[in-house]
Amino acid sequence: MNFFWRMGMLLAGMLTVVIVLWVITGPSWTDLSWVMPDNTVSTFGPTLDNLWLIILWVTGIIFVVTEITLLVFMVKYRHKEGRKAEYIHGSNNAEIVWTTVTFVIVMALAFYSKGLWDEIRDPNLIPADAYQIQMLASQFEWNATYAGADGLFDTADDFISRNVLHIPVDRPVVVQLMAQDVIHSFFLPEFRVKQDAVPGMITPVWFEATRIGEFTLACAELCGLGHYTMSGTVIVHSQADFQDWLAQQQAAAEDD
Amino acid sequence: MSTTTATETHAGTAEHHELSFVRKYIFSTDHKMIAKQFLFAGLMFLALGGLLAVMIRWQLGFPGRPLPVFIQWIFPDTMAPGGIILPEFYNSLVTMHATFMVFFALMPLMAGVFGNLLIPLQIGAEDMAFPRINMASFWIMPVAGFIMLASFFVEGGAAGAGWTSYAPLSTSGEWTGVYMGQILWLISLIVLGFSSILGALNYVTTVMNMRAPGMTWFRIPLATWSIFVTAWLLLLAIPILTGGLILLLADQTLGTAFFRPEGSGEPLLWQHIFWFFGHPEVYILILPAMGFVSEVIANRSRKPIFGYHSMVIAMVSIGFLGWVVWGHHMFQSGMNPLLGMTFVVTTVVIAVPSAIKTFNWMGTLWRGNIHFDTPLLHAVAFVALFIIGGLSGIFMASAPVDIYIHDTYFIVAHLHYVLVGGSLFGIFAGITYWYPKMFGRMMNEGLGKVHFTLSFLFYNMAFFPMHNLGVQGMMRRIYDPNQYEYLQGLQPLSTFISISIFLFATTQILFAFNFLWSLRAGKVAGNNPWKSCTLLWTTPSPPPHGNFPEMPIVYRGPYEYSHPDREEDYWPQDEPPETSEAGGQLAAAPSPEPVPGD
Amino acid sequence: MSQGAVATMDRKPMPGMMVYNKKLGMWVFLLSEVMFFTSLIGTYVILRFAHPDHWADVGLVLNVQLTALNTFFLICSSVTMVKAFAAIQEGNQKGLQMWLLATILIGASFVGIQVYEYMALTGEGFVPMLDSYHAVGRGNPHEGPSLGGPLYGATFYAMTGFHGAHVSIGVLCLIFVYVQSLRGVYTADNHEGVEVIGLYWHFVDLVWILLFTIVYLI
Amino acid sequence: MEEQEHAHPRYILIWVILLVLTLAELGYAFLDLPKVVLAVGLVFMAVWKAVMVAMYYMHLRYEPARLWILAISPLPLAVILVLAVMSEFR
Ligand code: HEA
Ligand code: HEA
Ligand code: CUA
Ligand SMILES: [Cu+2]
């Protein structure tokens, strides 16, 4: 067996290992939850994962085709005594084809991305009726400020919830991100939300929860020693529960 | 071949001026010696960066467990009491790993080694344009490296704000607990900048001004082309970083507020400056490898490179486009969201020249006569892995998808696919391919193949699953992911990755052994073991001082392999064309006269 | 084409950039300097654009008259520099020495005046530090005009300081060239050194022309 | 020789122009005009002076075209960087 066959078998073996690993780590190929955390928590989740999946398909096909071609070439054109390589300097047509095809594919991806990007990030598209929360990140905790009954910040009935973000379900929420010391990043994996909180800036980030429950709040930007501990919880309430919770906190806030 | 004999006579004459040991091996101005110096220094730093990586992987694979065996006694209590890596030490490890790898291992190994070795030899010059500046360019590097190393031993330990050193985290020890270490990090990189600039200006001048007669722009071998483009990137990107580092240093030491919000400074400005340098930097780290790979693939498949002109154009356009995409590192940084789409478009457009390169390499293999030597295996692995790394780049280039995968292990996977799978395998291809020219001996082929095969296998086992960690939402630069409940299930995968890395690292011992052993015991190489066409291989191995006995004349492109009218399957660039009886096509061989525009 | 033709082929390198190596090298180096100053000037432009309130009105804090004089000096030193080069192109070594000396003296006075300016400014509380910035302004005629903020000081010193460092290095190099010229190294056909250092010197002058305008006048 | 022909542009004349422009700048800077008008005018004059220095004192005018193309090559990058980052602070 010559060397290159052994190589090929190694490669094939490796591919099998990877595929087997992937298959046994997850229940099915259509349900993404085995690759990614559950995405049905926010309105962005499914759309974002969908785009991810589209790119996975596009790049996946390119990946399989190119790697297999490479392997086939390696096998087919391996050195044989007495054979001479063909004297070819290139082909304009081929170049034109793959340049345009690549260009078209990536441009399509870019413009397809634009829609979702605008939806999530365009400052003019943040829903006007969204519920406002201020979030001050500091080493190493998350301080969410709620406006209280008057709906205004910086008034006496504001109150703070530390490391737990309470939000209502089915209602857009805008979190105004601020940072006290260094840059942190507001990361809600299940919501597919991530936005840096930069000291000296106020960065709005909006999303809408679609499911009641408890989820993770993480810090995704290196912010010092305790970066890895800077976690919190997001609690999504039903709208009624949320109002109750607000009222309760306000009362507590007014008591002190 | 007359050239060969002529060269050998010259080798004799080179012995005339005996240089003292110091002038020959230490303060040498000979580009080939400087290349070797860069090679040894670069490999040392590579090993160091690799060791740091292994420690990172120990912590991630076995969080909170003491380092195994005697290693746990090495570290003082400020780093790893009882062998258990502290969070602050972990941050330093990550920062210094990336810093050493990027600035002290890969940059010297690519531009430093091969820029110096290849440029004069491939274009037919006797040395660099400024040999003494060249020497300075090398000697600044270990000085900077020493400063960087020293930072491990100062109070507070080495810098720990990531290799990106985002302000304001990096502006004050108050936030990280690292005071002196961060300052030394800044100083070291400022110093290192001079090394790169001096090297780059030498490469640029040499390529522009010192080509042998007939060496038109489009007869320059692709490796030299790639380093030429890289040199331009270095030349224009490094000063931007230096400026930024100086301002950051002022914020640290003088108490200015360029990037500190307390004084209305702008943290995002640092990010813009860093990435305006940083993105060209990553192409600095891959373009030379692309050059080596082009060289190796064409030679080992005994075929002209497919689409030489478009290869050159692709490299130049990667060089240009690299300047206008930096914002893709900042999609989630709070940057003006309206800039987002601009950067998405510019970023994905880079896939086009990259596609040209990839498909042209495949086109070169197509209908070739592929010899499976170690350099070729590394080169093809480069192509295979660069495709993976490049394609994962497309995910992040889509700004909305990047929202989720930014700052996760998906990024770590991407960057190691392009930097290890791409650049490092490219360097392996380069070293194994040009080793005979540098040292006059071949590396051991069998050992080389074993090293390649195991590396390739363990490499993929280690880094491919990182994509999975990333899409599961595991953040990067996390000391202990188990702090997060939703990441706890990923620990087995992390451990698997770590074990694969240990295997990968162990495999590199084979390479080190092969490298060192072959210096003395390798098969004697002869002038042209790979039967290559470029001028480099017309010289003896290793080439004497002054390289060529007389200035060579170039008659054709660098990849004239398997010409149908010739018996030999290669046609050296400097072999005079035969008389017109050899066939009409030959007589019309490109004229060696300098063409206008050169 | 016959073998004979090949054998007699001229073994001269490609014409390349059609300038000699040192000159090309210096130009290439200057390009990297352009990027270096881009990072400093860019920082200034961006910070000023973002925080206009950190800047004082023209002439209130910085001493424009003094610096105008200094600008005049630097421009003069460029003339003496080209004069030096013109002299040696004609083989006039005495002229070269005289003009070089003039350039060195003017360059050194530029640095001297800048040091004086720095001392005066820091004395008036115009410093780069965030915590101690308290510019008092000169003569301060108006009631409560803005005297700027720490970004003003910081960017000022960053840009002018690094320019000053370039001038100082230039003066040192010129002294070296001057000593060489005293030893008669340069002649009508060997004056690469003079031209190359001249390029550097004019570049530094050019940067100052831009800096003077954007730092002091805008 | 080619070079000799152009060896001496009118150095003194250029010097006078530079001085006049500097004086003009000084006068203009203290005019009571809107900030933008001032800035544009001043930058214009400064660039004019810079170009004069590059063209005559640095002899760019007499150099081969390929050298001056090289010389201006980094300028677009500088402009891109500054403009893009400025858009950050609309
Ligand atoms: C050698 C280094 C190198 C190279 C070559 C690249 C190449 C690319 N990189 Fe990468 N990148 C890094 C090193 C590199 N990168 C590093 C170190 C980081 C992290 C820095 C940090 O934060 O610490 C990073 C981070 C990074 C980010 C930021 C992610 C984040 O932090 O959120 C992005 C986003 O767009 C990105 C994109 C790309 C793209 C689009 C390419 C493209 O150039 C790739 C183009 C190639 C291909 C696409 C494959 C070949 C083409 C085909 C087979 C044709 C067909 C293809 C299609 C039709 C799509 N990279
Ligand atoms: C430039 C290139 C480069 C290279 C080559 C590597 C190589 C490796 N990297 Fe690194 N890495 C980065 C650049 C690089 N990395 C960057 C930029 C980051 C981001 C940092 C940040 O977040 O700030 C990063 C981050 C990073 C992380 C993420 C840390 C975190 O976010 O918490 C991890 C974790 O696994 C890791 C692991 C590894 C491993 C296991 C290797 C292995 O491949 C290493 C294997 C190599 C060896 C074991 C050495 C072999 C030695 C020789 C071949 C020498 C032979 C010697 C002689 C002949 C004398 N790296
Ligand atoms: Cu806060 Cu990481
Ligand atoms: Cu990038």
Side-chain angles (χ1 to χ4, degrees):
Chain A
M1 230 179 16
N2 72 23
F3 168 70
F4 117 86
W5 275 115
R6 276 176 274 158
M7 257 260 312
M9 282 171 58
L10 261 174
L11 268 173
M14 201 195 76
L15 253 147
T16 329
V17 169
V18 171
I19 291 172
V20 167
L21 255 170
W22 273 40
V23 171
I24 54 176
T25 40
S28 107
W29 283 93
T30 46
D31 169 13
L32 274 181
S33 63
W34 63 275
V35 224
M36 287 181 160
D38 184 7
N39 66 13
T40 58
V41 181
S42 78
T43 49
F44 298 145
T47 1
L48 201 147
D49 282 11
N50 199 34
L51 182 53
W52 183 87
L53 203 60
I54 291 172
I55 299 182
L56 182 65
W57 272 107
V58 173
T59 54
I61 292 170
I62 296 173
F63 165 73
V64 171
V65 170
T66 46
E67 304 285 357
I68 288 184
T69 318
L70 259 182
L71 270 178
V72 169
F73 284 0
M74 300 268 282
V75 177
K76 209 164 154 201
Y77 304 116
R78 67 186 184 275
H79 171 67
K80 291 203 191 90
E81 224 37 76
R83 192 165 63 87
K84 214 170 173 179
E86 277 185 50
Y87 184 70
I88 309 168
H89 275 104
S91 147
N92 282 341
N93 290 340
E95 305 247 18
I96 291 170
V97 168
W98 60 57
T99 309
T100 15
V101 169
T102 314
F103 185 76
V104 170
I105 295 178
V106 294
M107 279 320 215
L109 285 178
F111 285 102
Y112 193 79
S113 303
K114 180 170 166 42
L116 187 56
W117 179 250
D118 288 347
E119 188 186 330
I120 301 178
R121 283 289 164 78
D122 189 336
N124 305 315
L125 295 183
I126 298 178
D129 60 335
Y131 185 77
Q132 299 271 342
I133 300 171
Q134 287 186 347
M135 176 68 92
L136 181 71
S138 65
Q139 282 184 334
F140 298 96
E141 50 187 34
W142 299 98
N143 303 291
T145 307
Y146 292 80
D150 56 5
L152 295 174
F153 286 100
D154 296 322
T155 52
D157 65 346
D158 292 2
F159 62 90
I160 291 180
S161 163
R162 182 156 299 157
N163 285 337
V164 187
L165 179 68
H166 295 264
I167 54 169
V169 74
D170 292 335
R171 172 159 184 208
V173 174
V174 183
V175 177
Q176 303 284 355
L177 286 171
M178 292 171 281
Q180 192 166 35
D181 32 44
V182 301
I183 301 177
H184 302 267
S185 192
F186 178 75
F187 179 29
L188 309 179
E190 289 99 336
F191 288 69
R192 307 293 189 264
V193 165
K194 187 181 286 129
Q195 175 69 63
D196 285 6
V198 184
M201 285 172 61
I202 301 178
T203 319
V205 51
W206 82 275
F207 50 90
E208 186 178 329
T210 53
R211 240 180 57 200
I212 294 169
E214 277 193 29
F215 307 97
T216 313
L217 162 58
C219 177
E221 183 68 66
L222 178 62
C223 53
L225 288 186
H227 163 57
Y228 71 108
T229 61
M230 192 165 160
S231 63
T233 317
V234 187
I235 302 183
V236 184
H237 301 273
S238 72
Q239 302 225 356
D241 285 356
F242 184 68
Q243 292 307 333
D244 290 349
W245 177 80
L246 274 184
Q248 200 186 324
Q249 294 297 313
Q250 247 146 253
E254 273 151 26
D255 281 350
D256 334 308
Chain B
M1 248 192 358
S2 56
T3 24
T4 327
T5 42
T7 315
E8 258 134 33
T9 2
H10 180 78
T13 58
E15 302 304 310
H16 282 319
H17 37 246
E18 270 299 327
L19 292 169
S20 70
F21 178 83
V22 172
R23 290 272 289 123
K24 190 156 177 215
Y25 293 104
I26 301 179
F27 294 109
S28 170
T29 53
D30 180 17
H31 69 102
K32 298 173 291 290
M33 181 53 71
I34 294 175
K36 286 183 202 170
Q37 293 173 326
F38 267 119
L39 179 61
F40 282 102
L43 285 177
M44 305 278 269
F45 283 122
L46 179 66
L48 176 67
L51 275 178
L52 300 180
V54 165
M55 287 172 62
I56 295 175
R57 279 324 310 181
W58 178 265
Q59 166 61 24
L60 292 172
F62 309 93
R65 284 232 235 130
L67 291 159
V69 291
F70 65 92
I71 305 172
Q72 52 179 272
W73 301 319
I74 299 176
F75 298 98
D77 284 357
T78 48
M79 296 177 181
I84 298 170
I85 294 171
L86 290 175
E88 51 265 49
F89 186 45
Y90 181 82
N91 287 351
S92 299
L93 282 175
V94 173
T95 308
M96 297 311 262
H97 157 66
T99 308
F100 276 118
M101 283 300 197
V102 168
F103 294 101
F104 292 95
L106 260 53
M107 274 167 69
L109 282 177
M110 302 197 137
V113 176
F114 293 106
N116 271 309
L117 178 72
L118 300 181
I119 290 180
L121 285 166
Q122 285 195 333
I123 65 173
E126 54 176 12
D127 202 326
M128 284 291 190
F130 312 110
R132 274 192 290 173
I133 289 185
N134 207 15
M135 177 185 87
S137 154
F138 170 72
W139 277 107
I140 293 172
M141 199 270 277
V143 172
F146 180 78
I147 300 175
M148 192 60 87
L149 264 177
S151 71
F152 273 111
F153 304 100
V154 296
E155 207 183 324
W163 82 292
T164 51
S165 275
Y166 275 7
L169 183 65
S170 58
T171 57
S172 162
E174 221 178 298
W175 311 129
T176 44
V178 179
Y179 291 84
M180 203 53 204
Q182 186 70 41
I183 293 174
L184 289 177
W185 186 87
L186 292 165
I187 293 175
S188 167
L189 289 189
I190 292 171
V191 173
L192 186 71
F194 288 97
S195 162
S196 306
I197 301 274
L198 294 181
L201 83 91
N202 230 329
Y203 304 153
V204 167
T205 312
T206 309
V207 174
M208 284 188 149
N209 252 7
M210 297 180 62
R211 283 169 286 134
M215 182 58 85
T216 59
W217 281 109
F218 287 116
R219 287 183 193 162
I220 297 179
L222 288 173
T224 295
W225 254 115
S226 71
I227 293 165
F228 181 64
V229 177
T230 307
W232 273 106
L233 295 181
L234 280 167
L235 201 68
L236 302 179
I238 298 282
I240 294 278
L241 176 72
T242 306
L245 291 170
I246 287 171
L247 300 183
L248 193 57
L249 186 62
D251 275 8
Q252 267 266 0
T253 53
L254 294 179
T256 54
F258 294 103
F259 309 122
R260 289 198 296 153
E262 302 96 291
S264 305
E266 292 291 342
L268 284 194
L269 177 58
W270 165 257
Q271 295 186 21
H272 278 294
I273 292 180
F274 184 86
W275 290 118
F276 188 76
F277 147 81
H279 193 86
E281 169 71 14
V282 304
Y283 290 122
I284 288 168
L285 294 175
I286 200 137
L287 278 171
M290 292 178 162
F292 310 157
V293 164
S294 309
E295 210 85 355
V296 172
I297 289 188
N299 178 301
R300 293 290 79 199
S301 35
R302 314 306 294 159
K303 245 192 91 195
I305 196 89
F306 197 88
Y308 172 89
H309 282 78
S310 44
M311 287 300 248
V312 172
I313 294 167
M315 276 194 285
V316 175
S317 39
I318 290 177
F320 271 110
L321 287 171
W323 290 100
V324 290
V325 303
W326 78 93
H328 65 216
H329 296 273
M330 298 175 61
F331 287 141
Q332 324 311 332
S333 68
M335 173 181 80
N336 179 355
L338 303 178
L339 277 178
M341 272 321 289
T342 320
F343 284 121
V344 171
V345 172
T346 52
T347 302
V348 294
V349 167
I350 294 201
V352 175
S354 307
I356 295 177
K357 301 216 65 106
T358 310
F359 294 131
N360 279 342
W361 287 318
M362 292 165 60
T364 311
L365 292 169
W366 174 64
R367 301 202 179 168
N369 187 17
I370 306 170
H371 295 251
F372 285 85
D373 303 293
T374 324
L376 178 99
L377 294 171
H378 283 292
V380 173
F382 169 97
V383 179
L385 301 176
F386 172 72
I387 291 176
I388 302 182
L391 291 175
S392 67
I394 300 298
F395 287 77
M396 295 119 69
S398 164
V401 173
D402 186 64
I403 292 178
Y404 181 53
I405 54 186
H406 172 67
D407 268 340
T408 65
Y409 265 73
F410 199 87
I411 311 296
V412 179
H414 161 74
L415 76 90
H416 287 96
Y417 260 91
V418 278
L419 283 172
V420 184
S423 310
L424 194 58
F425 275 78
I427 286 173
F428 283 144
I431 292 180
T432 47
Y433 184 67
W434 281 296
Y435 188 93
K437 188 47 72 182
M438 272 198 261
F439 299 107
R441 290 174 188 276
M442 307 294 285
M443 284 175 83
N444 184 297
E445 203 33 54
L447 211 51
K449 283 191 171 122
V450 175
H451 164 248
F452 166 77
T453 315
L454 294 179
S455 293
F456 188 79
L457 185 70
F458 296 142
Y459 167 78
N460 283 291
M461 278 162 57
F463 289 100
F464 201 83
M466 282 192 191
H467 292 104
N468 208 341
L469 293 183
V471 290
Q472 297 273 13
M474 176 161 152
M475 285 81 73
R476 58 192 282 205
R477 298 165 169 179
I478 287 273
Y479 166 70
D480 181 2
N482 296 309
Q483 285 287 325
Y484 288 92
E485 210 182 287
Y486 78 109
L487 297 178
Q488 282 164 4
L490 300 174
Q491 189 55 49
L493 196 50
S494 287
T495 311
F496 173 76
I497 292 174
S498 292
I499 292 171
S500 311
I501 281 297
F502 302 151
L503 293 171
F504 179 76
T506 316
T507 308
Q508 302 317 312
I509 295 173
L510 290 181
F511 177 78
F513 175 76
N514 193 353
F515 185 97
L516 296 172
W517 183 76
S518 303
L519 283 180
R520 300 222 148 257
K523 201 169 87 215
V524 173
N527 286 2
N528 194 355
W530 308 116
K531 294 195 176 17
S532 167
C533 308
T534 52
L535 294 180
L536 173 88
W537 299 100
T538 63
T539 60
S541 311
H545 201 83
N547 298 344
F548 301 94
E550 56 179 341
M551 194 176 279
I553 296 183
V554 176
Y555 299 92
R556 60 189 66 78
Y559 305 109
E560 292 301 306
Y561 293 107
S562 303
H563 194 289
D565 297 341
R566 286 173 56 90
E567 205 154 315
E568 286 271 20
D569 69 351
Y570 68 112
W571 199 5
Q573 282 190 282
D574 67 340
E575 193 178 304
E578 285 150 44
T579 42
S580 38
E581 292 91 82
Q585 212 189 336
L586 283 193
S591 109
E593 299 295 350
V595 231
D598 253 283
Chain C
M1 199 187 293
S2 73
Q3 273 314 125
V6 170
T8 56
M9 187 79 57
D10 227 8
R11 288 190 191 271
K12 278 216 198 93
M14 300 293 282
M17 294 302 281
M18 309 200 303
V19 294
Y20 56 90
N21 280 352
K22 277 191 192 152
K23 186 154 149 187
L24 179 59
M26 178 50 84
W27 268 106
V28 171
F29 174 70
L30 291 183
L31 298 190
S32 78
E33 290 278 34
V34 169
M35 293 313 271
F36 176 71
F37 280 105
T38 295
S39 71
L40 298 181
I41 299 177
T43 300
Y44 164 87
V45 173
I46 290 156
L47 287 178
R48 179 153 187 191
F49 185 74
H51 302 280
D53 52 314
H54 273 250
W55 270 260
D57 288 346
V58 179
L60 266 192
V61 173
L62 299 176
N63 188 341
V64 177
Q65 286 81 353
L66 181 68
T67 313
L69 182 72
N70 228 1
T71 309
F72 170 72
F73 275 12
L74 210 55
I75 293 178
C76 290
S77 80
S78 258
V79 183
T80 54
M81 187 69 231
V82 279
K83 281 291 188 187
F85 178 53
I88 194 60
Q89 272 183 316
E90 283 160 7
N92 177 356
Q93 296 200 352
K94 275 273 156 324
L96 169 70
Q97 291 160 9
M98 186 189 82
W99 287 114
L100 274 180
L101 190 62
T103 315
I104 293 170
L105 292 179
I106 304 178
S109 7
F110 177 89
V111 179
I113 294 182
Q114 206 181 16
V115 170
Y116 167 78
E117 181 199 18
Y118 273 24
M119 293 195 321
L121 285 174
T122 46
E124 289 159 13
F126 182 75
V127 292
M129 281 77 88
L130 166 60
D131 302 327
S132 41
Y133 184 91
H134 60 282
V136 292
R138 54 198 53 261
N140 198 357
H142 313 291
E143 187 55 22
S146 159
L147 291 176
L151 289 181
Y152 191 16
T155 51
F156 170 83
Y157 285 104
M159 285 186 293
T160 57
F162 275 97
H163 178 268
H166 277 81
V167 179
S168 312
I169 292 171
V171 170
L172 291 180
C173 296
L174 279 173
I175 290 177
F176 173 75
V177 172
Y178 179 64
V179 172
Q180 295 284 79
S181 78
L182 289 182
R183 292 173 44 210
V185 170
Y186 305 111
T187 60
D189 352 273
N190 171 19
H191 47 253
E192 297 189 353
V194 181
E195 187 176 15
V196 167
I197 184 65
L199 282 176
Y200 176 81
W201 190 255
H202 299 307
F203 173 77
V204 173
D205 182 24
L206 187 155
V207 171
W208 182 255
I209 286 175
L210 298 176
L211 284 187
F212 176 59
T213 303
I214 69 168
V215 176
Y216 290 85
L217 295 184
I218 292 186
Chain D
M1 244 177 83
E2 251 254 301
E3 219 184 69
Q4 290 298 2
E5 251 175 69
H6 306 291
H8 304 299
R10 307 246 196 89
Y11 291 137
I12 302 293
L13 178 67
I14 313 282
W15 178 65
V16 173
I17 297 177
L18 289 176
L19 289 189
V20 170
L21 277 172
T22 308
L23 288 176
E25 277 193 287
L26 274 172
Y28 185 71
F30 289 92
L31 291 182
D32 207 10
L33 290 174
K35 199 82 202 165
V36 183
V37 180
L38 278 180
V40 170
L42 286 169
V43 168
F44 175 75
M45 284 188 270
V47 170
W48 186 354
K49 289 197 310 184
V51 170
M52 295 293 270
V53 172
M55 295 275 266
Y56 295 101
Y57 287 174
M58 297 174 90
H59 298 117
L60 257 194
R61 234 196 116 158
Y62 311 107
E63 301 288 5
R66 50 187 80 175
L67 189 67
W68 60 259
I69 293 174
L70 180 114
I72 57 173
S73 58
L75 296 183
L77 303 181
V79 174
I80 289 171
L81 173 66
V82 174
L83 287 187
V85 184
M86 270 166 74
S87 82
E88 197 69 75
F89 310 99
R90 293 138 287 168

